[in-house]
Amino acid sequence: ARVAALCLAARFVAAQSPDSSSTQKTFFVPRDGVIAAGFLVASAGLSIFDARIARWFTDTTQAHVREGKDLANNLTHINETTLTVGGLIVYGVARISKAKNVADVAFHVAESVAAASLTAQVIRGPLGRTRPDSTHPPYEDQYDFNFMKGFTHFDKRAFPSIHSSSGFAAASALTAEIKWRDPSAVWFVAVPAYALALTPGLSRMYLGKHWASDILSGAFLGTFYGWRIVDYSHEHPTTPIDRIFLGSVKHARISADRGGLTLSWTASF
């Protein structure tokens, strides 16, 4: 419950309203560093309890762990790959059927998940934090870091959690899109979206693959990219990416016929 509360808090701190960032000229702004530093401190503070929380999530004498592990084996497949590919498939179908709003939402969800995932990879490669079930003894040493080993060893890629960043990126992008279109409906989307966003990261904790602080840091990354990409795209609708893939100035076209699927575009930068 403590981890869930901290993760959900990330959404409210990082979320931006359209009015608050209407004058933003660049994608990243100085205050982002301050917010990121705050969450880094929060992750460091939470890490003190990482080993204790990890043991609670993996103690098979408890009923919730036995049931959680069964669910986790299925929920762990909700990750950066499935969310990105799923978003792009919906985007493609929506473009073909000329459902502009659906295409816009789906593309920004996929874009947010991809951005958060790539950033997480860049961070955890150099840090090389050991996963809970790979420490010696298991679930005991949350401060086992191996410089640059995260690029070559799967068991050294704990911090931050890409499962968590992906789930929160998708939830944040979807919620932000609803906020732009119908602010009165935000809570009807946000509550179930963020509840589901917790499940991929928590599943990895049941499987012993992530510490609680990994989940929190991933939640921050995903929340940041989900809200920022949607807000920035709507405030700057002629960005190169949106021009190409969403046809903001009618540069992109997807068509289907008996011969297959065709994607074409022209753009000037």
Side-chain angles (χ1 to χ4, degrees), residues 12-181:
F12 296 106
V13 175
Q16 300 179 40
S17 66
D19 292 338
S20 67
S21 57
S22 59
T23 60
Q24 184 170 315
K25 303 300 181 182
T26 59
F27 186 82
F28 295 105
V29 294
R31 68 174 178 273
D32 295 339
V34 177
I35 296 173
F39 274 89
L40 181 60
V41 171
S43 294
L46 181 59
S47 71
I48 297 172
F49 307 98
D50 272 346
R52 185 185 307 174
I53 296 172
R55 288 192 294 270
W56 186 81
F57 270 92
T58 54
D59 181 4
T60 55
T61 63
Q62 301 185 64
H64 79 89
V65 174
R66 295 192 297 273
E67 296 171 1
K69 282 184 177 293
D70 290 337
L71 289 173
N73 287 321
N74 294 319
L75 294 175
T76 190
H77 297 298
I78 303 175
N79 54 33
E80 70 280 7
T81 302
T82 54
L83 290 172
T84 301
V85 172
L88 291 177
I89 290 174
V90 173
Y91 156 78
V93 172
R95 288 288 290 168
I96 293 171
S97 59
K98 302 186 185 304
K100 181 179 178 181
N101 287 336
V102 176
D104 184 87
V105 173
F107 181 75
H108 287 148
V109 167
E111 186 181 8
S112 300
V113 173
S117 300
L118 288 172
T119 302
Q121 291 283 24
V122 170
I123 294 172
R124 66 185 191 167
L127 285 181
R129 190 184 197 186
T130 303
R131 297 182 186 274
D133 62 352
S134 298
T135 61
H136 301 287
Y139 311 109
E140 292 295 336
D141 187 4
Q142 66 267 48
Y143 299 118
D144 183 10
F145 291 88
N146 301 267
F147 184 62
M148 300 303 290
K149 292 292 183 66
F151 289 117
T152 56
H153 294 73
F154 174 79
D155 61 345
K156 309 296 183 185
R157 300 174 187 172
F159 183 93
S161 166
I162 289 185
H163 278 73
S164 180
S165 70
S166 300
F168 275 84
S172 297
L174 180 60
T175 303
E177 289 286 0
I178 295 300
K179 189 171 185 178
W180 274 93
R181 289 168 168 77

Side-chain angles (χ1 to χ4, degrees), residues 207-220:
L207 297 175
K209 300 301 181 183
H210 281 297
W211 306 99
S213 53
D214 302 334
I215 304 303
L216 176 61
S217 60
F220 163 69

